[in-house]
Amino acid sequence: MGLLSHIEGGLNNSPSVHEISAGLLAKTEKLMGAGKISFSAFIKENGILRCAVFSPADNYYVITHSFGLDLNSLISSKSTKDFWKGITEDEDRWYDFYSLDHSVNVLLQLFSDNIKDLTSEINVCMHNEKILLVIKEKDERLEMDSIFENFKTLFFDPEVYAPEYKEISNPIENIFKLDFSNFFKLTSITLILSENTFVYVRQNMKNEIIRWISSAFLENSEIYFNEDICHIKLYTLNPLSADLFIAHLKKASISFFGKAWEDIKLVL
């Protein structure tokens, strides 16, 4: 079975809502205060597969919180305030856009081709200048009233995602490091944001990166960022070489990383 014998099983196409660490939720809830919920809790409680929160930055909006999006979408989604005025005329109500009548096309320009191909419907609402997009696949059903009420109570500080480690018997520890410093540097130049805003964008990208890497290796891992270096500990039944690690990660996550692979380096 090749690599699959190393990591036991197949791959997920995207992170599951059930991959959110219960430990992280508990820690975050202690910091938020009464009446507020974390973004991770919001995703898990509502069973959302794919969404984005756009926040104002000067005369633009950028994604500061997301779930299930790829890096190309996070980079290309910078949009003007005037654009959103044409989408959400009033706050605190849903606006619905569908693939069947092509009304969704006005929003699909914000996302990668990979996300476009999966999207059947997008629901949009604004509250206190924050814009929530819920991106649905065909036949996906969600409780939109509940999602909106939860959205109004979201705690929007940067949140560090930590995957929940799944133990295996007698594991071998394989340690790898990926350097994203050049990727984040180029992304900062592309988006032209203040550091106060980019700290949210960068942390959200790190969270999405951790989710995808964790998903690619079936959560038999401990993954975290120290500055712009991603530290990865993979627990497998057999030793995993750096070449095999990179080959598998590229194959599993090429739709997520896209051209970003060119700006990511393996630290030896």
Side-chain angles (χ1 to χ4, degrees):
M1 293 178 65
L3 179 63
L4 296 187
S5 65
H6 289 268
I7 60 173
E8 300 182 303
L11 299 172
N12 300 321
N13 290 325
S14 62
S16 163
V17 294
H18 302 295
E19 291 171 4
I20 298 170
S21 167
L24 172 65
L25 299 184
K27 291 177 183 177
T28 306
E29 286 163 0
K30 291 179 181 178
L31 300 174
M32 292 185 303
K36 293 288 186 180
I37 64 171
S38 69
F39 184 72
S40 293
F42 170 72
I43 294 298
K44 187 172 184 178
E45 290 177 9
N46 291 285
I48 297 172
L49 292 178
R50 202 167 281 110
C51 75
V53 175
F54 285 77
S55 300
D58 300 321
N59 292 318
Y60 296 92
Y61 271 88
V62 294
I63 294 177
T64 55
H65 299 74
S66 68
F67 187 84
L69 298 187
D70 54 41
L71 290 183
N72 285 339
S73 296
L74 298 181
I75 295 171
S76 65
S77 58
K78 183 180 179 182
S79 43
T80 65
K81 287 188 175 181
D82 286 341
F83 171 81
W84 288 108
K85 285 180 181 177
I87 300 295
T88 56
E89 295 180 1
D90 300 309
E91 286 203 358
D92 298 339
R93 57 155 292 184
W94 286 109
Y95 292 87
D96 304 318
F97 301 84
Y98 303 96
S99 61
L100 286 176
D101 61 9
H102 306 293
S103 59
V104 76
N105 291 351
V106 68
L107 294 172
L108 290 181
Q109 62 182 299
L110 301 173
F111 304 107
S112 68
D113 290 341
N114 182 51
I115 300 299
K116 291 176 185 177
D117 293 341
L118 295 170
T119 301
S120 176
E121 175 183 345
I122 298 180
N123 311 110
V124 184
C125 70
M126 176 187 285
H127 179 73
N128 287 344
E129 293 194 303
K130 300 280 189 181
I131 300 171
L132 171 66
L133 272 69
V134 178
I135 304 160
K136 295 178 181 174
E137 297 181 11
K138 186 178 180 181
D139 298 326
E140 184 179 348
R141 299 289 181 265
L142 297 171
E143 294 293 332
M144 301 309 295
D145 288 343
S146 175
I147 289 174
F148 175 67
E149 291 303 316
N150 288 160
F151 177 57
K152 292 192 295 184
T153 65
L154 268 182
F155 182 73
F156 284 110
D157 276 9
E159 179 182 325
V160 179
Y161 174 79
E164 188 171 2
Y165 169 57
K166 292 182 177 179
E167 293 187 7
I168 61 175
S169 299
N170 302 315
I172 293 173
E173 183 179 85
N174 306 271
I175 300 176
F176 305 100
K177 296 179 183 179
L178 295 175
D179 185 351
F180 284 84
S181 56
N182 194 48
F183 165 75
F184 287 122
K185 179 181 178 180
L186 294 174
T187 300
S188 177
I189 293 171
T190 300
L191 294 178
I192 316 175
L193 299 172
S194 68
E195 181 57 29
N196 287 341
T197 299
F198 191 61
V199 68
Y200 286 84
V201 174
R202 180 169 51 221
Q203 185 57 58
N204 181 62
M205 287 183 173
K206 289 179 180 179
N207 289 342
E208 291 281 34
I209 290 166
I210 291 172
R211 289 187 190 108
W212 276 87
I213 295 176
S214 174
S215 176
F217 291 96
L218 306 179
E219 296 185 69
N220 295 323
S221 58
E222 295 180 50
I223 307 169
Y224 64 92
F225 271 88
N226 185 357
E227 298 295 337
D228 291 337
I229 305 295
C230 184
H231 296 250
I232 304 162
K233 293 182 181 180
L234 300 178
Y235 299 97
T236 60
L237 297 178
N238 300 295
L240 188 62
S241 69
D243 288 342
L244 197 56
F245 163 72
I246 290 296
H248 177 66
L249 187 58
K250 281 186 177 181
K251 182 178 179 181
S253 304
I254 191 63
S255 62
F256 171 77
F257 285 103
K259 292 183 179 179
W261 269 118
E262 300 171 7
D263 305 313
I264 302 168
K265 295 181 179 179
L266 177 68
V267 181
L268 300 176

